[in-house]
Each structure stands twice: as structure tokens, then as C-alpha cells.
Amino acid sequence: MAKKNRKNKAKFKWTKELIILLVLLVAMVTATIVLSIPSSKTKTTTSFNEAITAYNTSNSTSYSTLSTENVFVEVEHKKLLNKIEKEEYVYVVYGSLSDGTVLQYLSTINSVATQEEIETVYFYSSAWVEETEDTDTEAFKTKKQELEADINKNVNRDVEALDLLEYPALLVFHNGELIFNSQTYSDNEQYTWNMFIQKAFYISK
């Protein structure tokens, strides 16, 4: 009786070359996915520029947008306190992206800070205050008092403590002490935001 021919089955072998190829493919796919996710800096720049563009369209203004190489970093309350405690100089814009003054001077702040080799200006949002319909409630007053107590823990005697109901404001902290607050000059019409910016970013000179 004739024997049936059997097909020779080749055993699969993991070669060094195949392993390297698979590792490279996985690395390429991972890198593609990671690069496709916008960075926090890109998201911040995009949201700032969208707000500036929308305001320009609605108000016939021509405020400058920002390049991706800007100094702004959005910061939450707890993180801001951490920065104030640990960093020598901390520069803060307190306000919201719906405020025309903020949108007008973002580019100027970025230019002056960059010129002075200041790498970071923190953007501390006042949006929650603006969005509160009734600021006379006990809940709001308690929260406001707690947040202000955190920020105003150490205030220079010649500087007013931050009032979260007044925005926008430009702040500078040095070794944990609030040494500049544009609200200090809010009742003096002779002071402008260009003056605030110059004073704030040259304060370390």
C-alpha cells in the first residue's frame, strides 16, 4: 500500500531579527499615538488664541495671538500655592479668557517676560468667580475667604492683599511673599496695564 505524502510543516522560530523588528514596530506605533495627543502647552495656547480671535471678531479689535513658544502655564489653586512656596519668583495673571483686558495684554506680557528671560507666567483663572450668580451666599464667601487666606499668607506691608472679586490682576511673589499686586493701584487712574507689566517684570532688577 502506497504511503501518503505528508506536508512538511516548518516550525515557527523567534529569531533575533524578528524580535528587533517587532520591537521597532511597537515603538513606532506608540510614538505616533503619543505625538498625536496635544501637549498641555498646545492646549493652553489653542484656548488662549481661540479666545483672542473670538473677542477680536465680536469687538472689532486686533489683539495679538500667541505662538506656541509662550510663557503661560494654566495653574490650579493648590499647584499655585506649591509654586509660591518653592520658587524664588512667581509671576501670576489672575483673570479669565472672557476679559478684554486679559486678552489685550497677553501678548505684551509674553513679550516682556521673554525679554527678561522669565520662563513661566502662571495663569490663575477667575472664571469660577465670574460664573457665580450670587456672590453673597455663605458658601461662596467661605470659599473665597479660604482661597484668599492661602494666597495672602505672606503679604508685603506696602502691597494690598489679593481680592478675588477684583479681576484681572497681575501678581508677583518672592520667596513666598506677595510683593506686587496691581490691585494696589486700582483706584489710581494714572496707572495703566502697561505700567503694571513693566513694574511686575522688572521688580527683580
Side-chain angles (χ1 to χ4, degrees):
M1 186 173 178
K3 293 182 179 179
K4 294 182 178 179
N5 291 329
R6 294 182 179 179
K7 292 182 179 179
N8 292 326
K9 294 184 177 179
K11 292 184 178 180
F12 180 79
K13 293 183 179 180
W14 286 97
T15 63
K16 181 180 179 181
E17 291 77 11
L18 180 59
I19 293 173
I20 292 173
L21 178 61
L22 288 174
V23 170
L24 288 174
L25 285 172
V26 171
M28 288 174 64
V29 171
T30 303
T32 301
I33 293 172
V34 170
L35 291 173
S36 66
I37 300 173
S39 66
S40 58
K41 171 63 73 175
T42 300
K43 289 180 180 178
T44 296
T45 304
T46 299
S47 64
F48 280 24
N49 285 341
E50 286 178 348
I52 293 169
T53 301
Y55 190 90
N56 284 340
T57 301
S58 300
N59 297 276
S60 299
T61 50
S62 54
Y63 301 154
S64 299
T65 53
L66 304 167
S67 70
T68 52
E69 299 298 321
N70 63 75
V71 298
F72 296 106
V73 173
E74 294 181 278
V75 66
E76 299 294 333
H77 184 75
K78 288 184 178 180
K79 188 174 181 180
L80 176 60
L81 296 180
N82 182 263
K83 298 297 181 182
I84 291 170
E85 182 181 341
K86 294 184 177 180
E87 296 182 8
E88 183 180 6
Y89 279 95
V90 176
Y91 303 86
V92 182
V93 174
Y94 171 61
S96 80
L97 295 180
S98 63
D99 187 283
T101 301
V102 170
L103 300 178
Q104 179 179 359
Y105 288 102
L106 284 176
S107 179
T108 303
I109 291 170
N110 181 62
S111 296
V112 175
T114 301
Q115 184 179 13
E116 292 304 304
E117 298 182 344
I118 294 167
E119 296 182 357
T120 304
V121 176
Y122 295 103
F123 188 84
Y124 181 51
S125 178
S126 62
W128 72 275
V129 179
E130 296 181 42
E131 293 166 0
T132 301
E133 294 182 1
D134 187 358
T135 57
D136 289 326
T137 64
E138 288 304 317
F140 177 85
K141 289 179 180 179
T142 299
K143 181 178 180 180
K144 174 180 176 291
Q145 187 176 25
E146 290 174 353
L147 297 181
E148 288 178 345
D150 289 338
I151 294 176
N152 297 320
K153 188 175 180 180
N154 186 9
V155 181
N156 185 281
R157 63 181 182 180
D158 297 323
V159 177
E160 284 190 9
L162 175 66
D163 182 351
L164 292 175
L165 287 178
E166 289 186 29
Y167 43 82
L170 189 56
L171 315 169
V172 182
F173 297 85
H174 178 235
N175 292 331
E177 180 185 21
L178 179 60
I179 61 171
F180 177 78
N181 176 7
S182 60
Q183 294 175 350
T184 305
Y185 312 96
S186 59
D187 293 333
N188 192 329
E189 295 182 356
Q190 293 182 343
Y191 284 89
T192 66
W193 261 77
N194 281 318
M195 295 171 68
F196 294 154
I197 292 167
Q198 293 293 319
K199 188 172 178 61
F201 292 105
Y202 287 111
I203 202 166
S204 62
K205 297 293 187 182

